[in-house]
Amino acid sequence: MRIPNIFFCTMNLWIFFELSKKKNPMSLGEEVEKISGNLVQNLNDTKVLEKQIYLLNRLKKQYIILPFKGITFSSSGDRCSIIYKRMKESLLELVQKPKSRRLETEEKVLAIFYKIVYGVAQIHNLRFNHRDLKLENYFIDRKNRVYLANFTSCRIYFPDTPQIYPTSSSLHYASPEIYDKTPHFGPEADVWALGVIFYLLLTKYFPFSGSIPSQVHQDIIEQCREKVWHPDPSLEIPPTSIFLLSQIFVYDATKRITVPELLSALEKYK
């Protein structure tokens, strides 16, 4: 899918028109200091900014992205910041709590996971894959609504053209095809990262261990390459979740469960 250039031109004109109305625009540092209560994402690549603006505007009515309050530019114009409304906590902070009522049962975790998968489905529907799904990019509000922030790694994918993508996923969220540098379409790697997120919500542990890429990759090979994945029995993961995870942690990306299939399996938890 080709993103229409007219969209970017119109959006950029609007941004610079709004900035030009200020007689004394603040520098980036002053602006960030003033809005320090919010979440600030700094960018220095105009192409990445255009991509983010496109996705933010296409997804904002879906209530799956962190509400954004505006965009500011540095006085030199070579850097910008996207300002998001900060939610109560990130999913990383939620998982790091010793105890959380939001995660106390499998049903509650599955309900949160459904919202996460639904959001990724909307991104894929726009022919983008996210490529950096992880707990710290998700936020949750008091009503258990889940929001995604940070689209800097998103790339357009073509459903009939597998390719080798530049590495962007965080160490423990990267899929086998990323480590192997084998051609893939893109959404399959997002599915693997979704599995890691789900596993963390259930157990507070990463499913594959290691402190450097080669160690994590080796653990994935040992657990998944020649056999069906099974979790550590000491973690006591319920059967429903084990089944879903075993469909996600499949070494061969072409045999891995898809996002639409995940949504169907999670339908009753929405």
Side-chain angles (χ1 to χ4, degrees), residues 15-32:
I15 292 169
F16 285 107
F17 175 71
E18 290 296 313
L19 290 173
S20 66
K21 292 194 295 186
K22 299 179 181 181
K23 293 183 178 180
N24 296 303
M26 292 190 296
S27 70
L28 181 63
E30 291 168 338
E31 186 76 356
V32 169

Side-chain angles (χ1 to χ4, degrees), residues 233-244:
S234 67
L235 295 175
E236 299 182 349
I237 299 174
T240 298
S241 295
I242 289 178
F243 177 76
L244 280 176

